[in-house]
Amino acid sequence: MKHAIKTPSILIIGVITFFYACTKELESTTPTPPPPPVVVSGEKKITSFAFLKKDNPSLDFDVPGEIAGNSIVVELIATVTTRNLIATFFVSEKASVSLAGVKQVSGVTSVNYASKVTFDIEAEDKSKATYTIEIKSVGNTPLSTVNNTSSYALEGLTKTWINYGTMVPKSLNYWPTAFLSRTFYDFDKDGDEDLLMGTLNYDNVNNVIVDAPIPLYYLENKAGTYVDASAGTFSGASPKLVHSRKAILGDFDKNGWMDVVVAGQGYDAPPFPGEKSVVLKNVNGKFTTTVFPEIGFHHSVCSGDIDNDGDLDLFFTDPKRSKFYTNNGSGVFTFDNTVLAPDITYVNFFTSELYDLNADGYLDLIATGHEHEGAISTVFWGSYTGKYSREKSTALPKIKDWGVAVDINILDINKDGKHDIILNRQGDGTGAQRRYYGCYIQILMQEAGNKFVDKTATMINRNPQLTHPGIDWFWVDWLRLYDTDGDGDMDLVADDRFNNLQWRNDNGVFVKY
């Protein structure tokens, strides 16, 4: 039998001691490598810059800046205040940002950007760079006086309220509900208000409308008597339209003389071919006629400075295609199909006004027409873009059986700083109320948040009007505001005094007299 050989313990201990000694000797003779050099960053860049909606309540959306070299440009809409804006930015790692010695914290520090500001960037190695931040205003600047030149405001300046049937010359063959285009103004600057008016071509003998143009009339006020002065006032022959539907005022060429635009509707029967509207430019009390190139079934027109550039633009309602025309500043108009969104261009709107209802410095568009055919009365809110869309709009309350809205008036009835709306409605023929018959006045009060509430029941009495003595077919085309009792409050009247309709404003409630 073999026996295992045992290694003496002392031998093992000796081997270990030998290797340990060798290792220590090697350690004592191998040099220690130097520590790696400390790298200090010299990076000092702003890599992104933006104003975020969540940090800036005045913004409707996030707005990034454009970085080019050491310059940053941010485009903000004209309505946004440049004071106390909070920027979100990213800079090089370990770099710091300051403005005039004050540390800037992304998403926290607010700054006044009313003029260019310079950010100082300091890298970890203490080297420095500067970035200039500039705010550029885009869009249309708000205008607090934008209402003053709107056609609605200019019409409200008239001091004349007459019975047309007894006051205009017999040669015009005036009858109630005819001569829908009519407007007063001191066109010749002699101190009294003259009258420009037009009507549809109608055959009284055969009781039919006629598809042929007839003249507009200029009636000069001579000591309170209206005299047909068309021949000496229009350059050349009097302008003619088949159906002049509405006339509005405006100094469209900015020469200091009041001009007139007349909406031409054309033959009011199938196939409703339409016609061209006209601009009557006033120079020293004499009118020259310019014809729009586009044909349309122009049921109404209104004007105002939609882009706040200092001149008056136009909006024509047309149930086939409503149109905006922008002014080049000299009274030359260009059809602009970008102002009105497509989903509201081809709506059965028949009447409209431009007016800044919410006092934000931009004209709002109030449009209405055949509600029972999809033209819901709507406020399209104006903005810095100078354009109108359904996304920024408020639908107005409807009235059963009274779905034809033919006229719009605007007044801050309760004097709370918000403009309210008064709609003149007729029957729509869908129920008991006959189509195009009667007069229902709707009072819509503006509340916070661009909302309107129907207050008709409590704010006007003896409404609606269903009949009128001596008229077989009763309707009221134009209502208007007029201080009938001289107390300083605007009352509500039918524009033709023949109708004998007036509601006096008694502390915000319209009372029939």
Side-chain angles (χ1 to χ4, degrees):
M1 185 176 66
K2 296 182 180 180
H3 298 278
I5 300 174
K6 296 182 178 179
T7 305
S9 300
I10 191 167
L11 179 59
I12 295 172
I13 294 170
V15 172
I16 294 171
T17 302
F18 172 77
F19 280 108
Y20 177 75
C22 290
T23 301
K24 293 299 291 180
E25 183 177 350
L26 287 172
E27 288 178 356
S28 63
T29 58
T30 302
T32 303
V38 177
V39 178
V40 180
S41 174
E43 290 292 318
K44 42 189 177 291
K45 294 182 178 180
I46 295 180
T47 56
S48 71
F49 187 97
F51 296 119
L52 303 184
K53 182 180 184 301
K54 69 180 182 64
D55 301 321
N56 300 279
S58 61
L59 298 181
D60 291 329
F61 43 80
D62 297 343
V63 184
E66 293 290 332
I67 302 175
N70 287 63
S71 296
I72 301 173
V73 175
V74 187
E75 293 185 342
L76 290 180
I77 61 175
T79 53
V80 173
T81 177
T82 54
R83 293 181 173 85
N84 301 321
L85 288 176
I86 297 173
T88 295
F89 50 82
F90 289 92
V91 295
S92 303
E93 187 177 2
K94 298 184 179 180
S96 60
V97 183
S98 62
L99 171 62
V102 178
K103 183 179 179 180
Q104 302 295 296
V105 179
S106 174
V108 175
T109 312
S110 64
V111 172
N112 182 355
Y113 291 93
S115 57
K116 290 182 180 180
V117 301
T118 300
F119 278 6
D120 297 309
I121 317 299
E122 184 175 274
E124 186 183 23
D125 67 356
K126 303 303 180 182
S127 60
K128 296 182 179 181
T130 58
Y131 278 77
T132 300
I133 296 93
E134 179 183 5
I135 305 298
K136 285 190 175 180
S137 179
V138 296
N140 304 321
T141 303
L143 182 63
S144 62
T145 58
V146 69
N147 280 334
N148 295 353
T149 55
S150 69
S151 56
Y152 181 79
L154 294 175
E155 290 289 347
L157 297 177
T158 181
K159 299 177 177 62
T160 305
W161 184 34
I162 65 170
N163 180 330
Y164 292 90
T166 60
M167 293 297 291
V168 303
K170 297 296 184 183
S171 59
L172 269 65
N173 192 27
Y174 180 89
W175 73 96
T177 75
F179 287 86
L180 296 182
S181 58
R182 52 192 187 236
T183 186
F184 291 96
Y185 198 77
D186 184 8
F187 293 107
D188 52 9
K189 297 185 179 182
D190 66 350
D192 51 32
E193 292 186 333
D194 311 300
L195 174 59
L196 194 148
M197 61 194 307
T199 187
L200 78 164
N201 196 340
Y202 189 79
D203 182 348
N204 284 317
V205 175
N206 298 300
N207 196 30
V208 293
I209 56 175
V210 180
D211 188 8
I214 58 173
L216 298 174
Y217 297 93
Y218 177 80
L219 306 180
E220 185 177 353
N221 188 340
K222 290 185 176 294
T225 299
Y226 292 94
V227 177
D228 185 357
S230 303
T233 304
F234 295 113
S235 296
S238 297
K240 294 182 178 181
L241 292 166
V242 176
H243 189 171
S244 55
R245 189 57 178 74
K246 186 177 181 180
I248 61 169
L249 300 169
D251 184 4
F252 298 105
D253 53 6
K254 298 190 291 188
N255 69 344
W257 292 82
M258 191 62 71
D259 311 311
V260 179
V261 169
V262 182
Q265 177 178 287
Y267 185 53
D268 196 6
F272 303 103
E275 64 181 324
K276 296 178 180 180
S277 297
V278 298
V279 183
L280 308 176
K281 291 185 179 179
N282 185 354
V283 180
N284 298 323
K286 307 296 181 181
F287 291 101
T288 58
T289 304
T290 302
V291 179
F292 285 88
E294 290 83 12
I295 292 174
F297 192 75
H298 301 139
H299 205 266
S300 74
V301 62
C302 59
S303 69
D305 189 358
I306 64 169
D307 45 16
N308 290 2
D309 64 350
D311 54 41
L312 299 176
D313 311 296
L314 294 168
F315 178 66
F316 287 90
T317 58
D318 181 342
K320 295 181 180 179
R321 181 180 188 175
S322 292
K323 307 176 186 72
F324 264 105
Y325 288 84
T326 52
N327 190 341
N328 73 345
S330 300
V332 177
F333 295 97
T334 303
F335 173 41
D336 189 341
N337 65 359
T338 69
V339 177
L340 202 65
D343 62 345
I344 54 179
T345 297
Y346 305 95
V347 176
N348 225 357
F349 289 134
F350 276 78
T351 193
S352 62
E353 295 291 354
L354 285 163
Y355 207 78
D356 182 9
L357 297 172
N358 57 357
D360 65 352
Y362 300 106
L363 289 177
D364 309 306
L365 172 65
I366 309 102
T368 186
H370 286 191
E371 293 184 338
H372 58 294
E373 296 175 345
I376 304 303
S377 302
T378 304
V379 176
F380 298 98
W381 299 102
S383 71
Y384 69 97
T385 64
K387 302 181 186 304
Y388 299 91
S389 67
R390 198 169 293 281
E391 286 72 24
K392 291 186 176 181
S393 70
T394 299
L396 302 177
K398 296 188 290 184
I399 302 295
K400 187 179 183 300
D401 295 342
W402 297 89
V404 176
V406 293
D407 190 24
I408 301 163
N409 278 276
I410 301 158
L411 179 67
D412 182 4
I413 298 173
N414 58 358
K415 301 179 181 179
D416 64 350
K418 301 181 183 69
H419 288 96
D420 311 302
I421 295 174
I422 303 172
L423 290 185
N424 178 18
R425 294 177 172 274
Q426 296 170 353
D428 56 29
T430 62
Q433 188 59 33
R434 284 181 290 174
R435 189 170 180 170
Y436 300 137
Y437 194 92
C439 174
Y440 184 107
I441 300 172
Q442 184 183 22
I443 310 293
L444 297 164
M445 302 297 292
Q446 185 180 174
E447 297 187 346
N450 292 348
K451 296 180 181 179
F452 289 88
V453 177
D454 191 327
K455 297 289 187 179
T456 305
T458 59
M459 298 191 70
I460 186 168
N461 72 355
R462 297 174 65 186
N463 177 55
Q465 298 291 303
L466 299 178
T467 60
H468 193 282
I471 297 180
D472 293 331
W473 193 266
F474 171 61
W475 74 320
V476 176
D477 41 27
W478 306 124
L479 293 172
R480 67 183 172 99
L481 299 171
Y482 183 82
D483 186 4
T484 62
D485 51 7
D487 65 353
D489 289 329
M490 299 305 289
D491 309 303
L492 189 63
V493 301
D495 179 64
D496 189 345
R497 200 160 185 167
F498 162 81
N499 288 300
N500 193 30
L501 290 177
Q502 62 172 297
W503 285 263
R504 292 185 183 176
N505 187 342
D506 185 6
N507 295 319
V509 176
F510 293 95
V511 179
K512 177 87 169 47
Y513 275 76

